[in-house]
Amino acid sequence: MLRLVVQRLLALVPLLFIVSVLTFSLTSLLPDDPADLIIGQWGTEQQFEMVRERLGLNEPLVPRYVHWLERALHGDLGTSFFNSVEVSDAVMQRLPVTLSLTAVSALIALLVGLAAGIAAALRPRSWTDRLATFGATIGQAIPNFWFGILLVAVFAVTLRWFPATGFTPLSSSPWEWLRSVTLPAIALGLASSAAIARQVRSAMVGVLQQDYIRAARAQGLSRRRVIFKHALTNALVPVVAVLSFQITVLLGGALIVEQVFAINGLGTLAITAVRRQDIPMIQGLVLVMVVLVVIVQLATDVVYGFLNPKARPS
Amino acid sequence: MSVQSASASDRGARSGSRRRASAQAVTVAAVAVLSLLVIAAVAAPWIAPYDPLHQSLGAALQGPSTAHWLGTDDLGRDVLSRLVYGCRIAVIAAAEATSIAVVLGVPLGLFVGYRGGWWDWAVMRLVEAVVSIPGIMVAIVIIAILGTGLHRAMIALGILFSTSFLRLARGVVLTEREEVYVKLARVVGASDRRILLRHIFPNIAPPLIVQVTLTVGAVLLAEAGLSFIGLGVQPPDASWGTMLNTAASYMELNWFLAIPPGIAIVATVLSINLLGDVIRDSIGRGVAVGVKPTTPVARFEAAAPASPESAAPPPRRDDDVLRIEGLQVVVSAKEGGEVPVITDLSLAIARGETLGLVGESGSGKTLTGLSILGLIGAGGRSTHGTITLNGTELRALTERQREQVRGNAVAMVFQDPTTSLNPAFTVGNQIAEVLRAKKGLSRKAAWARTIELIDRVGIPRPAERARAYPHELSGGMAQRVAIARALSCNPALLIADEPTTALDVTVQQEILDLFRDLQDEFGMAILFVTHDLAVAADICDRIAVMYAGEIVEVAPVDTLFATPRHPYTRGLLSAMPHASDRDPPLPTIRGTVPRPGSWPRGCRFSDRCGFRTDACGQRVPLTGTGRLVRCLRAGDPELEAGR
């Protein structure tokens, strides 16, 4: 398994390199000089020069990139253009919030998607199947933030079962954390559960027609065992790929859903940074996202190898 | 039966047409919603009852009324008017971002796909990098550089979605440039530009249309999201996303504010997606030319169990393990209704006996085996007859009871061992699982017994092989494992469905020897399904020849080979290759086995038979004692002479 992880990591090196170059070049792509942004219109020439020097803007591009990368690899993503906040501190402080929202919604999406997909696949063309397929079609057309607003209207404002806004960290109160994360996670996970349900259904319908399923039934194994052990293990192989992609989608969606529930996560950080063209902050956010995506992809490969013996390196 | 089948066929036809009708209704509804959207967008100033920006603070946050059909927002602006103007934004956003995506993505994709080499490598790595970051984050980064606002946000989305058009165009080029006509065009000296435009571009159109519908839906959702978080359309302009932003702030005071823009988004995106599905399906149909469905001619009248043509049941023997009497199996036809696939099938197998079930593909041999297990599968069922295994009538059992019987009293070995073993588990796991589930053995005992069984079927180093996955074994080894699993609970009857057909010729003989060996040891009865007469001659005691869902001849193996009595059996025998006489070309039986539902009314072999007479137009019973034959002219001198 270690070998698989190392192999995959090496394969991801070019990707990481390109992303880092793209991220770095954001500063150069900016139409205005960053020094202008920081100092404003009425600075002196001397102030501009100082800022340019501090940001390393007077260096040639390549050494600047090397320096930037070197510092980034050590966890130093620079300082915000607008205050003395360290980018890595700001990002790390909000990361757990967005992560727990993404993780819970991925879990919900997987459970709902599996249940609906399997139920539909067991009786193709039945009412269950049509209902699940119809639900999945609708689910993929509903914007997550609108669904969030509706959930707030019903379960927070009217029924008062959940808080309408805010986020409690898991470490301070697991129960309050669960209460604060439930509605946003459901809102965020809806579209992904629809996508997963579709994939589970089609994979399951295909697997259930395989010879080994009939052979297992012929051996007198119960329907339940054949469906959940023999069929599901194989049907999960393509589902894992979809889940991995959906986690990336959820990570992006979390940025928006956080706004509905006034959750102070990476989304709020990103929106503020964009409005101010706070490039170091944006760079930090992109790099964190990429690292998360890479971790998810690695995990996917490991799970994939576990489910599919043919994919293991021998 | 006929009444039943008629109603079933009606039901099938009706549900089919209902499905088509509902699909049509969905398409019409989707087109209607989208037309409405475009009309509202174009005619917004004339349709909207108020100016969407006109504030009236005295009338803020009102519910629906006759003056304001959808109420007013926090600044007293008319929600309906803002919704109508929002249609304009939606149409502009979708058109702008999608066009940018197409204009950027398609030419670049065509170029790198056609050019290949370094260009292709660099651009594709760049695309991979962009795709690996969440889409919204990519859009946010681009907006950070360009600034906020509808058009800038749409440029951002256009760049984001251009990656999918780029990949699509590149993919089409990569397949097309290897096509013969493109190579020919190159040979006759057409310029690259000409080849791209004239020969490759037209092939992109169908997938491009599908991708456009997908993109439009995604753009609408993304635009609403960006406007909602304040990075797209800026207030006070009315877009569905900004309206929802307002609604979110006034949830406690007027929740209704969230309803109209939300429904507008869902209805639009849903319509686009549904229309995309329809387009994709119709393009798919246009590409794959389907086989013309044949309607079953001459609906078959099934033999009722007591009808005079039904065969006398095979003589009872004391040591019969399996007795099938008058079995009929039907499957539901594509065109609706049910079609018989096995009729009036009777056979018996004794302890330690091997009965061969022989016939061409499509004659119903495998289905006979599956019927015994009660695993005909979806769309099929047995309608008449009895299947008695060790004195128990299997058709009368509940599904749970049948589950008990399977594996314990009867087991099956399938044709292709590489597909009948689960690829996700080790072979030892799959045998041990059966022992634990059926025999209640402990994990340890089951594993020990598994290794014994693997050893017994002649696999060297069994303890090691038990931990192998199916794909790590050769076909012959895998079939030995499948046999070990089938025999794990010591069944009285083993059904072997073409167990050597998928194997290498040199391995076939070993597997046949293994069957013989195991039968000597365990004493089970074997139903050996095969189309290969040489294999049947090798291993079987008696042979039943099947044709078009019925048995046409049954005889001990030597008798059958020496004096076949049914013309079909004789055809099969003469089509067997003999090592001794290579010179004369092998005779074949002309024609093919008729499909179920299109069987001739009388003798089903009659239209391929060289000896048919007028009398063959009637149903023919299986007659005789000891050896049975279903032919009116059996024993006829002319037919015998033809041998």
Side-chain angles (χ1 to χ4, degrees):
Chain A
M1 211 42 92
L2 186 72
R3 198 174 152 152
L4 179 81
V5 173
V6 172
Q7 255 180 25
R8 297 299 306 158
L9 261 181
L10 287 176
L12 288 167
V13 167
L15 172 82
L16 288 170
F17 173 70
I18 289 173
V19 171
S20 73
V21 170
L22 279 181
T23 313
F24 167 75
S25 51
L26 285 180
T27 327
S28 320
L29 287 172
L30 211 56
D32 310 306
D33 190 319
D36 282 342
L37 282 172
I38 295 174
I39 297 186
Q41 291 178 24
W42 292 281
T44 63
E45 193 59 36
Q46 212 176 355
Q47 282 175 306
F48 278 119
E49 266 319 300
M50 271 171 63
V51 171
R52 291 185 63 82
E53 194 60 42
R54 178 163 60 84
L55 294 177
L57 292 178
N58 294 330
E59 271 182 274
L61 217 52
V62 175
R64 218 165 91 201
Y65 167 72
V66 174
H67 278 152
W68 176 82
L69 185 66
E70 206 172 37
R71 280 187 287 129
L73 288 176
H74 288 94
D76 176 7
L77 298 170
T79 345
S80 159
F81 278 174
F82 290 88
N83 41 42
S84 52
V85 172
E86 288 278 329
V87 169
S88 48
D89 289 349
V91 170
M92 278 309 155
Q93 195 194 337
R94 289 170 169 86
L95 184 62
V97 180
T98 304
L99 268 191
S100 57
L101 177 55
T102 307
V104 175
S105 65
L107 189 69
I108 292 174
L110 182 63
L111 293 180
V112 174
L114 276 178
I118 293 173
L122 291 185
R123 290 189 179 73
R125 293 182 171 206
S126 67
W127 279 110
T128 325
D129 183 22
R130 279 181 220 176
L131 197 70
T133 311
F134 183 67
T137 312
I138 300 258
Q140 288 187 304
I142 296 181
N144 48 25
F145 56 95
W146 185 58
F147 191 47
I149 293 174
L150 294 187
L151 290 176
V152 168
V154 177
F155 296 102
V157 174
T158 310
L159 296 172
R160 309 219 164 263
W161 291 352
F162 297 95
T165 56
F167 176 84
T168 314
L170 178 63
S171 50
S172 66
S173 160
W175 172 243
E176 285 304 318
W177 169 79
L178 193 65
R179 268 169 46 94
S180 68
V181 86
T182 303
L183 291 186
I186 293 175
L188 182 54
L190 175 75
S192 294
S193 45
I196 292 172
R198 283 181 160 213
Q199 180 61 55
V200 169
R201 182 194 178 273
S202 78
M204 204 62 181
V205 165
V207 167
L208 286 173
Q209 287 165 353
Q210 295 295 314
D211 281 357
Y212 53 81
I213 296 301
R214 200 169 57 177
R217 295 281 286 147
Q219 211 56 56
L221 299 177
S222 69
R223 193 175 146 82
R224 176 189 300 241
R225 179 190 284 268
V226 171
I227 289 167
F228 287 99
K229 182 183 169 187
H230 291 259
L232 196 55
T233 313
N234 287 286
L236 279 181
V237 174
V239 172
V240 167
V242 170
L243 178 67
S244 161
F245 174 70
Q246 285 301 325
I247 291 177
T248 312
V249 172
L250 289 173
L251 205 53
L255 305 183
I256 292 180
V257 170
E258 282 172 6
Q259 305 313 303
V260 178
F261 295 86
I263 293 174
N264 203 3
L266 295 179
T268 320
L269 197 64
I271 292 166
T272 322
V274 167
R275 291 191 156 280
R276 296 169 168 175
Q277 299 195 308
D278 191 350
I279 296 299
M281 202 60 95
I282 303 261
Q283 287 174 328
L285 284 164
V286 171
L287 290 185
V288 166
M289 293 266 171
V290 171
V291 169
L292 289 178
V293 170
V294 164
I295 292 172
V296 169
Q297 281 187 2
L298 274 183
T300 308
D301 288 333
V302 171
V303 174
Y304 194 79
F306 178 75
L307 289 172
N308 181 7
K310 286 183 204 171
R312 291 176 206 166
S314 45
Chain B
M1 169 66 204
S2 59
V3 175
Q4 210 174 355
S5 109
S7 75
S9 93
D10 275 6
R11 216 184 308 126
R14 238 182 294 144
S15 83
S17 65
R18 205 188 301 143
R19 209 171 301 134
R20 266 192 303 281
S22 73
Q24 237 159 28
V26 165
T27 316
V28 169
V31 170
V33 168
L34 296 173
S35 315
L36 203 66
L37 176 81
V38 173
I39 291 171
V42 173
W46 297 280
I47 293 176
Y50 297 88
D51 178 350
L53 302 180
H54 176 74
Q55 301 183 7
S56 161
L57 292 176
L61 294 173
Q62 287 181 352
S65 64
T66 46
H68 300 281
W69 289 4
L70 296 177
T72 58
D73 69 4
D74 58 321
L75 299 174
R77 296 174 294 199
D78 181 53
V79 170
L80 177 61
S81 304
R82 291 179 71 74
L83 193 71
V84 170
Y85 274 88
C87 293
R88 201 168 249 205
I89 302 276
V91 170
I92 293 172
E96 209 170 88
T98 310
S99 327
I100 293 172
V102 173
V103 168
L104 275 181
V106 173
L108 199 54
L110 288 175
F111 172 73
V112 298
Y114 193 75
R115 193 69 182 268
W118 190 87
W119 274 101
D120 186 40
W121 186 89
V123 171
M124 287 321 286
R125 293 296 86 72
L126 204 65
V127 167
E128 268 173 28
V130 170
V131 170
S132 72
I133 307 167
I136 282 288
M137 191 67 208
V138 174
I140 286 178
V141 169
I142 302 176
I143 291 172
I145 291 171
L146 298 177
T148 56
L150 173 65
H151 301 295
R152 289 162 179 171
M154 290 311 106
I155 294 173
L157 290 181
I159 295 174
L160 172 65
F161 287 113
S162 68
T163 53
S164 42
F165 287 99
L166 192 156
R167 289 199 284 190
L168 185 150
R170 176 179 175 268
V172 173
V173 174
L174 287 186
T175 24
E176 293 299 329
R177 61 187 258 174
E178 299 309 318
E179 293 290 331
V180 175
Y181 62 90
V182 172
K183 286 189 169 161
L184 271 179
R186 206 174 297 163
V187 169
V188 299
S191 71
D192 282 0
R193 221 177 91 124
R194 196 182 153 77
I195 290 173
L196 268 178
L197 288 180
R198 287 286 305 273
H199 298 280
I200 293 180
F201 194 70
N203 285 296
I204 295 183
L208 193 67
I209 293 167
V210 173
Q211 187 62 37
V212 163
T213 62
L214 290 175
T215 307
V216 167
V219 163
L220 286 170
L221 284 176
E223 183 275 320
L226 288 174
S227 296
F228 175 74
I229 59 176
L231 299 183
V233 176
Q234 299 295 307
D237 282 348
S239 87
W240 299 338
T242 51
M243 289 174 76
L244 282 174
N245 187 329
T246 309
S249 320
Y250 294 94
M251 221 50 252
E252 310 241 1
L253 294 170
N254 183 3
W255 57 265
F256 182 76
L257 272 183
I259 304 299
I263 289 185
I265 297 173
V266 174
T268 310
V269 174
L270 190 61
S271 302
I272 275 284
N273 288 353
L274 288 173
L275 209 59
D277 283 350
V278 171
I279 292 173
R280 191 176 49 211
D281 288 354
S282 60
I283 287 174
R285 258 205 302 282
V287 172
V289 180
V291 184
K292 202 172 134 229
T294 50
T295 35
V297 281
R299 181 153 290 281
F300 175 81
E301 280 152 44
S307 79
E309 11 176 280
S310 183
R316 244 162 237 290
R317 293 173 295 181
D318 291 341
D319 56 350
D320 273 349
V321 171
L322 174 77
R323 286 183 65 79
I324 302 180
E325 290 177 17
L327 179 69
Q328 171 165 311
V329 176
V330 298
V331 296
S332 43
K334 273 207 188 73
E335 304 83 5
E338 290 180 319
V339 180
V341 282
I342 292 175
T343 57
D344 186 27
L345 184 134
S346 300
L347 55 82
I349 314 178
R351 214 185 117 69
E353 184 187 33
T354 302
L355 175 71
L357 197 56
V358 173
E360 284 165 278
S361 8
S363 54
K365 308 179 304 270
T366 299
L367 208 54
T368 305
L370 291 173
S371 307
I372 300 169
L373 292 163
L375 289 177
I376 299 172
R381 63 193 181 95
S382 55
T383 54
H384 297 99
T386 57
I387 301 172
T388 318
L389 182 68
N390 281 339
T392 316
E393 215 289 76
L394 298 183
R395 282 194 60 221
L397 298 182
T398 64
E399 177 54 29
R400 251 205 122 66
Q401 290 167 320
R402 240 181 263 167
E403 220 160 64
Q404 284 295 312
V405 171
R406 283 184 219 134
N408 275 327
V410 51
M412 187 155 174
V413 175
F414 292 86
Q415 174 168 350
D416 188 347
T418 52
T419 60
S420 64
L421 292 169
N422 194 325
F425 302 102
T426 62
V427 295
N429 178 319
Q430 296 182 55
I431 299 176
E433 176 187 23
V434 172
L435 288 165
R436 293 178 64 199
K438 308 299 291 185
K439 291 273 179 214
L441 294 190
S442 70
R443 188 178 288 267
K444 223 175 142 178
W447 190 254
R449 177 79 187 124
T450 296
I451 291 172
E452 277 173 35
L453 282 164
I454 294 178
D455 184 39
R456 178 62 195 84
V457 293
I459 297 180
R461 289 176 292 149
E464 189 184 317
R465 292 296 166 83
R467 294 183 197 282
Y469 286 92
H471 73 272
E472 295 168 335
L473 299 181
S474 68
M477 286 293 169
Q479 193 61 297
R480 283 170 195 267
V481 168
I483 293 169
R485 177 170 71 166
L487 293 179
S488 59
C489 300
N490 210 349
L493 172 69
L494 181 67
I495 303 167
D497 182 10
E498 307 256 12
T500 58
T501 308
L503 301 178
D504 193 82
V505 187
T506 51
V507 182
Q508 281 190 4
Q509 194 55 47
E510 292 172 27
I511 297 288
L512 289 179
D513 290 341
L514 177 65
F515 271 111
R516 231 187 320 266
D517 233 33
L518 292 168
Q519 192 174 37
D520 288 345
E521 184 180 329
F522 293 97
M524 71 276 186
I526 299 180
L527 177 65
F528 200 98
V529 175
T530 182
H531 71 278
D532 187 340
L533 277 171
V535 168
D538 190 352
I539 191 157
C540 298
D541 301 308
R542 285 187 306 137
I543 289 179
V545 180
M546 228 177 146
Y547 183 80
E550 63 188 4
I551 289 179
V552 293
E553 184 162 8
V554 184
V557 63
D558 296 334
T559 326
L560 188 92
F561 276 80
T563 58
R565 302 189 64 187
H566 195 283
Y568 178 62
T569 314
R570 294 190 24 207
L572 280 183
L573 286 178
S574 59
M576 261 179 87
H578 293 279
S580 51
D581 42 33
R582 282 175 188 277
D583 283 342
L586 282 178
T588 51
I589 311 175
R590 64 193 161 89
T592 52
V593 184
R595 277 158 39 95
S598 54
W599 292 333
R601 231 165 232 285
C603 169
R604 289 176 200 160
F605 187 60
S606 56
D607 51 0
R608 296 171 77 186
C609 183
F611 301 96
R612 72 164 289 172
T613 62
D614 290 345
C616 298
Q618 288 154 22
R619 294 289 297 127
V620 184
L622 190 64
T623 51
T625 47
R627 62 173 307 182
L628 307 167
V629 63
R630 192 188 292 272
C631 180
L632 288 176
R633 301 192 64 193
D636 188 311
E638 187 199 335
L639 201 150
E640 298 294 318
R643 188 158 67 229

